[in-house]
Amino acid sequence: MKLFTNKMIPLALTVVMFGGLLAGCSKSTETPAASTASSTAPTTAPTEAATDAPATPAPDEKITLTVAMQSSDWSDAAQQMMDKFTELHPNIKIDFSQIPNDTSAEYLQPKAAANSLPDLFTIDGGDFGSQLAENGLIADLTNTDAGKDVVDGLKGVFTSKSGKLFGIAGGLSTSLIYYNKKLFEQAGITTMPQNWEEFLADCEILKGKGITPLTVAGGDGTINNTIWSTGFADSVISKDPEAVKKITAGTFDFNTPEYADVFTKAKTLYDKGYLVKGVVSLMYGQSNDLFMQGKAAMSFSGIWLAGTMMKSDFGTGVFMAPWNMKDQAKVPILATETGFGVAEGKHKDAAIQLLNFMTMGEGYYIYQNKKGNIPMMKATDESKIKIDPLISTYIKDSQASPVTGPLWFEFLPSEVQSKLVQTFQRVFTGELTPDAAAKFTDDTYKEAIKNKK
């Protein structure tokens, strides 16, 4: 099945086709609807019972909604959405706070334990949110307007063990490499690398021209979206298509040369001087800025940045990260973006009203066109959606792959997730060898599995 033909199909049909693709096509790395519960998730549920549909607050009822989002790359759009919503609903005030990217579980866990979750928040699909839903801390969004309209194929990792929809995905997610066309032209690179060997050769050419080849955030969890997830897909899933299922079943062995290769490739880039200076502590926003300022020829990032990265002064192109060896096909990443959840609390109805505005009302187009990714909702006005043709083509090519990989947070135990950034940093600085990093991950994983029994 293909998401796009040679001529762009209507977006309303696109999202329906995409939903069917994720739900029905045979992808060997399909993520289970819910994984084993996180041992760090709280066990105390609020006393308020869940309701399916939001009740509109009375016009004279004054409400303050607490909203916490990962939105550093679309903060202006987030604020615009909140302002527009409060303009339409003057009785609702929004206390909005921005949380660092890829730290939703760390931010939410202590608040959940204290039964003080924000009314609306960003949350990843997978283990942590599933347990919060099972414990009654997150509203089941199945029968809300947003829950009914979100693309079916994006629901799986936001569905708990008992079938509760605890989040609305923020869109289709995939990692890719953005490149500076002007700098590539200066270096004489006219064709995109198709494998790891060619990628290293191009990096050497760029370095020889005095151009920093690649920027990637090594100081926060976005390195897991990029180098880890792509490395795991190309080095592990390509050889063991059942790897994700084994991990969720508690039977996977991380202490292997294939998994160590994830860190070997990262260390190779670091040792050869192909990564931007300060990569070990470089944060997400800083990495994005370096690319947009023309200080690196490539940025390993995600489709969620397309709305920003494709609007450069130098001309931006994209290609699939060639982490595959010469005799091996690429394994692209296809997953869900961080989504939106609602707490079970006294302001749940108003929070769902805001959620519907963000995902189906005027707020949705503010969000979507800032992100520039593939829509996650079925009922969209295609005349209001702006997607760069290069991004459309990239998705089409990714969908054509017989095997795809998920993102790290969709299937790894939370204990393993929390150690990945530090593991990369220790590999970069030489504290751990790639083999030692593989063993460390395996030890962490086995301990997590043992604690859940």
Side-chain angles (χ1 to χ4, degrees), residues 297-319:
M298 295 176 283
S299 175
F300 199 167
S301 192
I303 194 174
W304 52 90
L305 275 173
T308 298
M309 302 294 238
M310 301 305 293
K311 296 175 181 177
S312 65
D313 296 331
F314 44 73
T316 303
V318 297
F319 61 88

Side-chain angles (χ1 to χ4, degrees), residues 29-32 35 102 124-127 157-158 171-176 221-233 237 244 247-248 300-304 331-339 404-413 417 420:
T29 60
E30 183 178 353
T31 307
S35 55
D102 290 297
D124 292 326
D127 184 65
V157 297
F158 285 98
L172 167 66
S173 187
T174 183
S175 56
L176 70 167
T222 51
I223 195 170
N224 304 330
N225 291 326
T226 56
I227 290 181
W228 192 92
S229 295
T230 298
F232 190 82
I237 290 176
V244 171
I247 289 173
T248 57
F300 199 167
S301 192
I303 194 174
W304 52 90
V331 179
I333 300 298
L334 283 176
T336 60
E337 286 214 25
T338 295
T404 64
L407 285 171
W408 58 291
F409 58 77
E410 294 185 304
F411 64 97
L412 286 177
Q417 293 181 27
L420 287 181

Side-chain angles (χ1 to χ4, degrees), residues 159-181:
T159 301
S160 73
K161 185 176 181 181
S162 65
K164 296 178 180 179
L165 184 67
F166 62 83
I168 303 299
L172 167 66
S173 187
T174 183
S175 56
L176 70 167
I177 290 184
Y178 297 95
Y179 71 94
N180 182 317
K181 292 182 178 180

Side-chain angles (χ1 to χ4, degrees), residues 233-241 258 328:
D234 280 318
S235 296
V236 178
I237 290 176
S238 64
K239 300 177 180 65
D240 183 4
E258 289 78 17
Q328 172 193 342

Side-chain angles (χ1 to χ4, degrees), residues 9 21 44 67 96 107 129 136 153 163 174 179 189 215 227 245 248 255 271 292 309 365 378 423 442 452:
I9 63 176
L21 178 80
T44 303
V67 177
F96 176 73
Y107 176 84
T174 183
Y179 71 94
I189 300 173
T215 181
I227 290 181
K245 291 181 180 179
T248 57
N255 192 17
D271 287 348
M292 295 302 290
M309 302 294 238
Y365 299 100
K378 298 173 186 175
T423 304
D442 195 59
K452 289 176 182 178

Side-chain angles (χ1 to χ4, degrees), residues 369-442:
N369 289 326
K370 177 61 178 180
K371 301 283 276 187
N373 60 358
I374 301 301
M376 74 278 200
M377 309 305 289
K378 298 173 186 175
T380 56
D381 182 347
E382 63 184 87
S383 67
K384 296 181 180 180
I385 298 289
K386 301 174 184 177
I387 301 176
D388 191 285
L390 291 178
I391 297 298
S392 300
T393 299
Y394 184 90
I395 294 299
K396 178 189 70 174
D397 292 343
S398 298
Q399 301 285 18
S401 175
V403 179
T404 64
L407 285 171
W408 58 291
F409 58 77
E410 294 185 304
F411 64 97
L412 286 177
S414 57
E415 295 87 345
V416 176
Q417 293 181 27
S418 65
K419 298 291 197 302
L420 287 181
V421 175
Q422 181 188 40
T423 304
F424 272 110
Q425 292 171 332
R426 295 171 71 191
V427 169
F428 284 146
T429 59
E431 183 181 343
L432 287 178
T433 66
D435 287 341
K439 185 179 185 305
F440 176 75
T441 302
D442 195 59

